Amino acid sequence: MKMRQSNGFARLPTYTEVFDGMANGLGLVRNREDNLIQLAQYDKRADVYSGVRGPGLVERLLSLFCGANELLQRQIRETLTDLEQQISELRSEPLHTNAPYQQGLAAFLEHLILPWSAQALWLGSYFPTSTAWCVGAIIHDAARSNSTVLEAWKRQIRALLPPDMKVPEFRKTISKATSTSPRKIEGIEKDVLRLGDEIENFHLADKQAFLERVRSTYIAGMALTRCVLAAKPYINEVQLISTLVKLIAEDNYSTDPQVEIEAAVGHVEPPAIFFAAIFGEGWNEPLIDAALCQAQELSSVPEVAHYLPALRAYKHISHDERGAAMKELHLVVDAASDRQIGQVAEWAASMLIALHLHTSPPKTHLALNPLVRVRIDNLAQRLDIQALTAPTPFAVHSATPKIDTYDLHMLESIKLFLSHPRAPGIQVPFLYLERIELLLQSLLEAVATPSSRLVGWDSKKLVLPGISVPTYELVRDLAAYLDYLLTLSSPEMKSLNHYCWSTDADKKRILELIDPASFRRDVERYG
């Protein structure tokens, strides 16, 4: 397991980084390129994590840590889900401090990761055949004997070998193991396989159970060795082991990690008016100006200096001064690379994405990925109730479209931008509704002609700038997409209204004109 190094200020790792650390700790990841964090496409990252055509990384991790114990696998999966939510919530909150990154990571380990680990090991203590149980046994051995994890592991694994079992190669492998080069899964599997060959003629009541216990203890020892090595810059081995033993014994896994981490890094609260101005409802110019005045006074204080460009950007957006807004927003996003500024970073990235799309949309998919990453890394998990169905011309309750993760962040950013309060007299730019209006106008005109034929029409053409949704899918699932593009102040759109009030039969005629092949597939799908 390897922790990210940084010269910035205290900020917490993302769940993806933490999970990569777990996978590295268990020896699942062979190369740096195999880490989830290295995958630029978020859908690909989700597929690798959850698995599409086979076991995902999380399934493999649970299998290694829990063995074949399905109950323990479910319990550990639940704790992982809780951990993901906790990290997401903590990342969405700012840490206004000049404490170094390493200090923040040390606090994160002490107040969140070690309590979570203790909970997982406590759960594993009820399943003696699991790697989790073996990890706990090694930790308690090291604590009792005042020895290193590596020494305790060697004792544990040698204790599994009967005195008269002649396995010189395996004993040599265990003796040569060091804390600086722990074996990964492939190496462990080979060692256990060779051990099986060595004991071919040795009488054991249950040879397979013996090998499974050796394997679990081997994996546990190597995982612990990696974790101790990775945590060394932040917490020494003796303290790490004693803390885990204490937490497991007390069954006390959580107090308030946010309060504890903030105290550990010297977090200071900014004036409440900053959040009230940026995240308040409606246009309130006196509040914005008062917040700007305070932000100007505090602009020389590094911990909160990013609020000044954030508030300036807010006001520029409200007056449709796009160039000036983008300049200030870039300063906020740049600040987020060195500091944890939480929700303000998510807001700034969202506004910047929307402004790019409304001024100079990128010509390539994923071009705004750096901003999407800032948004994701600072986005708290929301418990919004998502509709499972949406109306289409084929069915009132069609399945909602599966929107690419990148495109979803584009759409959510547009929705936030359109809902941003505007100063009196400033019109909201409804570029995307206008594009849909022009598209539907041409389609309605085409379907009204006797030939009902689209000349030179490209069914794969993208109508929404920067969003990879083909025309056919956009029109078929229009109700779902309009949820992101319509607001209470949206202007009247004649062709859009005409289409929405058309019969399903007329809508199907339009879809058939756009892409006959896709239309036939949908007819077969819906019956």
Side-chain angles (χ1 to χ4, degrees), residues 110 191 284 292 301 303 306 316 337 385 412 496:
E110 179 181 355
D191 290 343
N284 189 335
L292 275 166
V301 180
E303 300 97 304
H306 57 274
H316 286 313
S337 65
I385 298 176
E412 288 181 345
L496 176 59

Side-chain angles (χ1 to χ4, degrees), residues 22 24-27 61 63-67 121 124 127-140 142 148-154 156-157 160 174 182-185 188-189 192 211-229 237 240-241 244:
M22 293 178 185
N24 274 283
L26 280 168
L61 183 144
S63 178
L64 271 182
F65 189 68
C66 306
L121 294 176
F127 298 87
T129 61
S130 69
T131 300
W133 188 94
C134 297
V135 170
I138 295 169
I139 287 173
H140 282 91
T148 66
V149 160
L150 187 67
E151 291 166 344
W153 166 70
K154 289 183 178 183
Q156 290 280 318
I157 207 162
L160 296 174
I174 299 304
R183 299 279 272 174
K184 292 191 176 181
I185 291 302
I188 293 173
E189 301 290 10
V192 173
L211 290 173
E212 283 296 328
R213 172 47 61 90
V214 170
R215 177 179 178 272
S216 297
T217 304
Y218 203 153
I219 293 171
M222 294 298 94
L224 269 174
T225 301
R226 282 191 199 87
C227 292
V228 167
L229 190 63
E237 183 172 350
L240 177 67
I241 296 303
L244 281 172

Side-chain angles (χ1 to χ4, degrees), residues 370-389:
L371 291 174
V372 172
R373 178 165 181 175
V374 173
R375 191 171 191 272
I376 289 175
D377 286 352
N378 294 278
L379 184 66
Q381 285 194 351
R382 292 190 290 260
L383 298 177
D384 299 340
I385 298 176
Q386 300 292 332
L388 298 177
T389 63

Side-chain angles (χ1 to χ4, degrees), residues 297-361:
E297 292 173 0
L298 294 171
S299 60
S300 60
V301 180
E303 300 97 304
V304 293
H306 57 274
Y307 285 104
L308 181 58
L311 287 160
R312 284 174 174 166
Y314 183 99
K315 192 166 185 178
H316 286 313
I317 295 170
S318 298
H319 286 87
D320 200 25
E321 297 163 350
R322 302 182 195 179
M326 292 176 76
K327 181 179 177 181
E328 301 292 345
L329 289 168
H330 275 295
L331 295 176
V332 181
V333 170
D334 288 345
S337 65
D338 279 333
R339 295 182 178 279
Q340 182 170 313
I341 61 179
Q343 191 179 0
V344 173
E346 180 222 331
W347 170 82
S350 301
M351 292 298 111
L352 204 44
I353 287 170
L355 285 165
H356 274 294
L357 294 175
H358 281 78
T359 52
S360 53

Side-chain angles (χ1 to χ4, degrees), residues 64 92 289 507:
L64 271 182
S92 71
D289 289 340
K507 291 176 182 177

Side-chain angles (χ1 to χ4, degrees), residues 74 91 95 127 148 168 180 187 195 203-204 221 236 243 277 334 346 349 382 391 399 412 427-428 451-452 455 488 500:
R74 287 198 300 273
R91 285 274 316 180
L95 284 177
F127 298 87
T148 66
T180 55
L195 173 63
H203 175 71
L204 285 169
N236 66 55
T243 301
D334 288 345
E346 180 222 331
R382 292 190 290 260
E412 288 181 345
Q427 298 297 316
V428 178
S451 61
S452 291
V455 180
L488 293 175
C500 290

Side-chain angles (χ1 to χ4, degrees), residues 96-121:
H96 300 121
T97 176
N98 282 328
Y101 174 78
Q102 288 74 13
Q103 187 175 335
L105 190 50
F108 178 75
L109 288 170
E110 179 181 355
H111 300 296
L112 187 63
I113 297 302
L114 288 183
W116 179 87
S117 301
Q119 182 186 16
L121 294 176

